[in-house]
Amino acid sequence: MTAPTSPRIEQHPDILALRAHSEAATSTPVAQAVEALALLCGVYLAASPWIVGFSGASTLAIHNLIVGVAFACLVGGFGPAYERTHAMSWAALGLGAWTIISPWVVSGHAFITHAVVSNVITGAVACLLALALARMGMARSRQ
């Protein structure tokens, strides 16, 4: 078997530059704080039916559990693999927006006021954090 004539793909200058860019984008204290807050936001969304007390609305409770776990997993992947996942911050924005409108879509007219307030506030926070995560990736690519 012959030795490869070109360097391995992991040593390609573009890949090395992308990794350096990703490391710079996620290594600041602000970036780490935003990621941690986003992770906590997803965990809160998943647990909110039992924290706020609308677990009786089973459809919305299961919905919040699924969306909260999805949001937490999505933003939790940004730290270890930011170079491959920062573009998915727009999906996190979509999940945040969906969280805002979901009480009306999922539960129809049979919803509880504190469930709506909880979802609207949590969804707004999720949207802001997703925008901050997206901005971190775009701001570093301009420099």
Side-chain angles (χ1 to χ4, degrees):
M1 186 171 226
T2 61
T5 57
S6 61
R8 295 180 53 99
I9 191 70
E10 294 86 17
Q11 301 303 319
H12 192 278
D14 290 340
I15 297 215
L16 294 174
L18 180 62
R19 286 188 180 145
H21 159 71
S22 299
E23 180 64 29
T26 59
S27 64
T28 65
V30 171
Q32 292 172 352
V34 169
E35 185 181 337
L37 288 173
L39 184 64
L40 288 174
C41 182
V43 170
Y44 172 78
L45 179 60
S48 64
W50 296 275
I51 293 171
V52 176
F54 60 93
S55 59
S58 63
T59 306
L60 189 59
I62 292 170
H63 167 272
N64 277 18
L65 177 65
I66 293 169
V67 174
V69 168
F71 187 84
C73 289
L74 182 65
V75 299
F78 292 158
Y82 191 74
E83 69 268 8
R84 294 186 307 266
T85 59
H86 74 278
M88 290 191 293
S89 57
W90 298 108
L93 178 64
L95 287 174
W98 172 250
T99 300
I100 293 172
I101 64 169
S102 64
W104 293 279
V105 176
V106 172
S107 295
H109 297 290
F111 54 80
I112 304 165
T113 303
H114 49 277
V116 173
V117 171
S118 175
N119 272 36
V120 168
I121 291 172
T122 306
V125 169
C127 287
L128 291 173
L129 291 169
L131 286 171
L133 288 167
R135 185 177 175 279
M136 285 187 313
M138 292 187 318
R140 290 288 181 180
S141 64
R142 290 185 198 138
Q143 293 178 353

